[in-house]
Amino acid sequence: MAGARVTGRLGALVDTYGERAIATLRSNDAYYDEVRENVVQAYADDPAPLAPRVPLRPFAVAGADEPDTDEEAADADATDETTDGEQPTGGDASGDASGEDADGRAAGASPSSTPSPSPREEEPDEVTLVLISDNHCNTGMGRVMGEVARQAEADVVLNIGDTTMGGSGPEALCVDALASELRDFPVVVADGNHDSLLTGDQERAQGWTVLDGGVVEVEGLRIVGDRDPRLTSVTLGDREFATKPEAAQVLVDAACAGHDPDDPSTRVDILAIHDPYVGNRVMPSGCVVLELSGHLHRRVGPFQEGLGVMFGMSSSGGATAGQLTLGELPATATIGVLRYDRANKRPTALREVLIDPDRSVRLTPWEAFPEPPTTPVLADLSPAASQR
């Protein structure tokens, strides 16, 4: 870039992250264009591109394991962030000062709100969601996400956070790169700990629905969610807006408003929250069917969680420890495709689109979710539990 004059938004990004980063952004086109073409080919070759050929039934879970009581600090995410050392189970058997019970329930949640079985099966009414998370300003992946959404015939794109690296003003570029490729789809976002309040404003300006602690309805889906209660940013500093129990209680209150434990149709369809250690404090309420989270940069589940089920996304930007996601993929990137039955209030099928650093694309087989539990379950979110 010797002798080049860089101004405006790109100039600000150079000031923030250096000329090497911006030069890498400009050299990505050929690489990600080939990835996009490989997505098209993978879908053309797939025998069941839009849905399983035979409907999948929820699978039974034989005896839930005892919940893991390791501290969350033992399971820090792939960016080597400092965690707060909270126990995902909410402390010892006597509870702790956070106001949680020993099984990780948020204050106010009650196992008495066990969902009742649906009285009868309704005619399925399925929608398709494309799931993205932890892109961390991989601008090249925008076109890939857009192609997956087109090929999957998505009804909604759900972004589970960390669109940016630090939430600075110049990182509007990170939002714009995705939004320009997703203009044909409604996008709902639950911002992560690397996204700032400014990031939320940038997303709203693109027409995205930014979750802020309440329930929204998009394409017939009732979705509750919020931004991460922390900000982790090299440019804006680290902040905590609320504790995880406090953040969870806001979501419990929103999800359970108007919920009738004897009427499963009153449950919220989806909890979208970046950090699964917030989500696992909401799901025991029984007011939500499905939790979707990110943050850990690895797949989690699908598992039973609380009185529902959960799935944790890996990084859609190929994020891995010690590597920028500006440029070619440093690791495998993951985009999720979820089928959800609005009539019967349940997720019906899940698959992943896996993009490897060599530009190859794999579509995993469709898989089912577990049956929802009838008593609260605390999912094991450790890496060992998700290994296959």
Side-chain angles (χ1 to χ4, degrees):
M1 293 182 64
R5 186 175 178 219
V6 183
T7 61
R9 185 172 291 167
L10 291 181
L13 198 63
V14 166
D15 291 340
T16 305
Y17 292 109
E19 292 192 10
R20 174 181 170 272
I22 201 63
T24 301
L25 283 174
R26 288 174 165 169
S27 68
N28 283 348
D29 284 352
Y31 179 91
Y32 286 102
D33 281 346
E34 183 175 345
V35 171
R36 177 167 55 187
E37 292 169 2
N38 290 341
V39 167
V40 174
Q41 189 61 52
Y43 267 90
D45 294 341
D46 193 80
L50 300 181
R53 286 178 290 181
V54 177
L56 304 178
R57 303 299 301 176
F59 61 85
V61 177
D65 294 333
E66 288 298 314
D68 182 18
T69 57
D70 289 343
E71 291 190 351
E72 182 182 348
D75 193 27
D77 71 357
T79 55
D80 286 335
E81 295 170 4
T82 301
T83 63
D84 54 15
E86 288 184 282
Q87 291 181 313
T89 54
D92 61 22
S94 63
D96 64 14
S98 68
E100 295 175 10
D101 296 322
D103 62 359
R105 294 194 300 273
S110 170
S112 65
S113 50
T114 303
S116 301
S118 180
R120 63 187 177 86
E121 191 84 356
E122 302 287 347
E123 184 71 22
D125 178 22
E126 295 194 63
V127 290
T128 297
L129 296 90
V130 162
L131 311 177
I132 59 177
S133 186
D134 295 275
N135 190 57
H136 290 290
C137 205
N138 186 333
T139 57
M141 280 299 293
R143 72 199 73 181
V144 181
M145 295 169 184
E147 193 59 57
V148 171
R150 285 186 288 274
Q151 295 293 326
E153 298 184 7
D155 298 289
V156 180
V157 174
L158 182 57
N159 180 348
I160 318 174
D162 278 3
T163 301
T164 73
M165 294 185 288
S168 63
E171 289 177 90
L173 178 70
C174 313
V175 176
D176 296 349
L178 305 193
S180 64
E181 299 289 346
L182 296 172
R183 296 203 184 281
D184 295 334
F185 308 93
V187 179
V188 180
V189 59
D191 282 329
N193 59 297
H194 288 286
D195 302 317
S196 67
L197 294 172
L198 178 58
T199 305
D201 292 338
Q202 294 163 349
E203 292 162 342
R204 289 186 187 92
Q206 292 289 351
W208 293 6
T209 299
V210 180
L211 298 171
D212 61 0
V215 178
V216 301
E217 184 166 333
V218 179
E219 295 296 312
L221 293 169
R222 296 181 67 224
I223 303 172
V224 66
D226 206 349
R227 60 170 289 106
D228 195 273
R230 299 172 299 164
L231 173 65
T232 308
S233 172
V234 296
T235 55
L236 302 177
D238 295 350
R239 306 175 194 172
E240 183 177 72
F241 307 106
T243 66
K244 294 180 184 182
E246 289 168 346
Q249 188 61 59
V250 170
L251 294 166
V252 169
D253 292 344
C256 294
H259 173 247
D260 180 354
D262 296 321
D263 183 359
S265 70
T266 63
R267 288 176 294 167
V268 170
D269 295 293
I270 292 171
L271 164 65
I273 189 69
H274 183 67
D275 189 339
Y277 290 101
V278 175
N280 71 350
R281 292 166 160 93
V282 177
M283 294 302 289
S285 68
C287 301
V288 182
V289 176
L290 169 66
E291 173 199 341
L292 296 171
S293 295
H295 185 57
L296 301 180
H297 294 191
R298 56 178 171 79
R299 171 177 168 145
V300 180
F303 292 145
Q304 293 179 331
E305 177 68 279
L307 288 167
V309 293
M310 70 86 63
F311 176 68
M313 276 285 296
S314 187
S315 168
S316 300
T320 187
Q323 293 285 330
L324 283 174
T325 49
L326 300 172
E328 298 182 4
L329 290 170
T332 298
T334 303
I335 299 171
V337 182
L338 169 71
R339 300 274 292 170
Y340 188 91
D341 182 354
R342 294 175 292 198
N344 294 292
K345 293 277 187 177
R346 67 178 178 222
T348 59
L350 172 74
R351 79 180 330 175
E352 293 174 307
V353 181
L354 303 177
I355 302 101
D356 291 320
D358 65 0
R359 305 176 179 84
S360 62
V361 175
R362 296 171 284 145
L363 273 59
T364 65
W366 290 102
E367 57 188 293
F369 278 78
E371 293 178 340
T374 56
T375 57
V377 170
L378 185 64
D380 182 354
L381 303 181
S382 69
S386 295
Q387 289 176 353
R388 295 180 169 231

